[in-house]
Amino acid sequence: MKKKILVTREVFGEVLEFLAKDFDVTANQEDKVFGSDELARVLADKEGALTSIVDRIDEALLARCPHLKVVCNIAVGYNNIDLTACTAHGVMATNTPGVLDDTTADFTWTLILAAARRLNEAEAYVRSGQWDKWRLKQFLGLDVHHATLGIIGLGRIGQAVAHRAAGFEMEVLYHDVRRAAPEIESACRARYVSKEELFSRADIVTIHIPYCPETHHAVGAGEIGLMKKSAILIHAARGGVLDDAALVDALGRGAIAGAGLDVYENEPSLHPGFLKLKNVVLAPHIASSSEKTRFRMAMMAAENLAAALTSGNPPNLLNPSARKQ
Ligand code: DGY
């Protein structure tokens, strides 16, 4: 008998075909979002799950899923999974690192350029039929070339963002909990500075750290308060790292010039203040969403799942102590 698995959200057909070769797959191609009770019910008799960032895998759920051996997130971030609870229940958890770095870095630059050059405001102006003549002082923006870029978190995605800054001949500063190896710093042409120096000197600050209890509101009123009035803040990491209310307040007062966001606290709900502001570019958590990359992420998660349930040894395992010897 094939082992039963659940794919919690819509995925590419090829991914389901790959899984169906070895597993009895319950799919959700209607893309319904399961509430926690419903997720526990559909997962109760399953040994594996392909999960998304909106599925909470916690103690309450695991206690109701006695057969579960592996959860494979289709994401590099895994703050929706309680790893301690998984380990206690002998449930392996995996993620999809590496495959989305370049696509996410590309989108970070999309936000940087759009926010710096006020593309959202300019486009809305054209679409609404208000454009009547060329003006010298129309939608004056911030030059990105030769500006100072401040990167919070020089991990894989932060580094990919830094590499792209070379084309704009920028000065690159970074801050992280740990200083990067000299070869990484020189490949990124990035200089390690304190958080205070980064926020006060950068023209563009971009956040690339994961969300966990230690990084909750790592960027808040204090940090934003150090930024220049002409500076912009970019966030395509994970909701909760940035204090959204503090940013709404700063943008509303004109304390900084603008922002570009892909992720939010409590998404898909937004702080209502964002919708009233013109100086913020808002995207719906799509930084990794290119055709190729989202396919690779889903296939990588499926491969993690297949390996976990056949060899017990999946790549990209986040909690090796959950593995049965
Ligand atoms: C990730 O991989 O963590 C992304 O945020 C999902 O889109």
Side-chain angles (χ1 to χ4, degrees), residues 59-281:
E59 174 57 40
L61 178 116
L62 293 166
R64 294 173 62 186
C65 302
H67 307 285
L68 198 60
K69 296 191 178 56
V70 65
V71 287
C72 301
N73 230 25
I74 308 177
V76 65
Y78 51 88
N79 54 300
N80 58 309
I81 300 177
D82 180 340
L83 280 190
T84 310
C86 281
T87 305
H89 284 266
V91 173
M92 295 175 276
T94 66
N95 69 339
T96 63
V99 285
L100 48 79
D101 301 345
D102 282 317
T103 303
T104 303
D106 287 354
F107 194 77
T108 300
W109 278 95
T110 306
L111 289 176
I112 290 174
L113 291 165
R117 299 302 302 273
R118 304 173 58 189
L119 185 61
N120 57 328
E121 288 177 71
E123 208 226 22
Y125 174 80
V126 172
R127 280 186 188 277
S128 66
Q130 292 176 74
W131 189 24
D132 55 352
K133 58 176 175 277
W134 182 90
R135 289 178 172 84
L136 185 70
K137 289 164 69 174
Q138 202 157 37
F139 294 110
L140 299 175
L142 170 76
D143 271 333
V144 171
H145 65 86
H146 299 100
T148 298
L149 178 67
I151 301 177
I152 297 292
L154 199 67
R156 286 185 310 263
I157 296 172
Q159 288 173 40
V161 169
H163 291 148
R164 286 155 175 75
F168 290 91
E169 299 182 55
M170 299 174 88
E171 178 188 15
V172 181
L173 309 176
Y174 81 96
H175 183 77
D176 209 327
V177 278
R178 245 170 275 111
R179 188 168 171 172
E183 56 276 18
I184 293 178
E185 287 188 351
S186 74
C188 293
R189 302 184 321 124
R191 191 160 68 77
Y192 183 77
V193 293
S194 68
K195 197 169 165 182
E196 291 70 27
E197 181 175 350
L198 185 144
F199 277 93
S200 51
R201 284 208 40 223
D203 299 302
I204 298 156
V205 176
T206 181
I207 305 171
H208 299 285
I209 52 178
Y211 183 66
C212 58
E214 295 73 37
T215 59
H216 179 72
H217 288 184
V219 178
E223 290 74 20
I224 298 169
L226 295 171
M227 291 174 71
K228 299 190 250 191
K229 212 170 167 334
S230 56
I232 61 172
L233 180 63
I234 304 299
H235 185 29
R238 192 55 106 237
V241 171
L242 172 68
D243 180 344
D244 289 358
L247 178 61
V248 166
D249 175 61
L251 289 170
R253 288 184 291 111
I256 63 172
L261 306 175
D262 186 49
V263 291
Y264 311 85
E265 292 185 89
N266 311 314
E267 63 183 54
S269 297
L270 257 65
H271 187 297
F274 284 133
L275 299 176
K276 296 187 192 127
L277 292 164
K278 287 190 175 159
N279 53 350
V280 58
V281 178

Side-chain angles (χ1 to χ4, degrees), residues 75-77 100 238 285 288 294 297:
V76 65
L100 48 79
R238 192 55 106 237
H285 202 144
S288 62
R294 285 280 167 93
M297 289 164 68

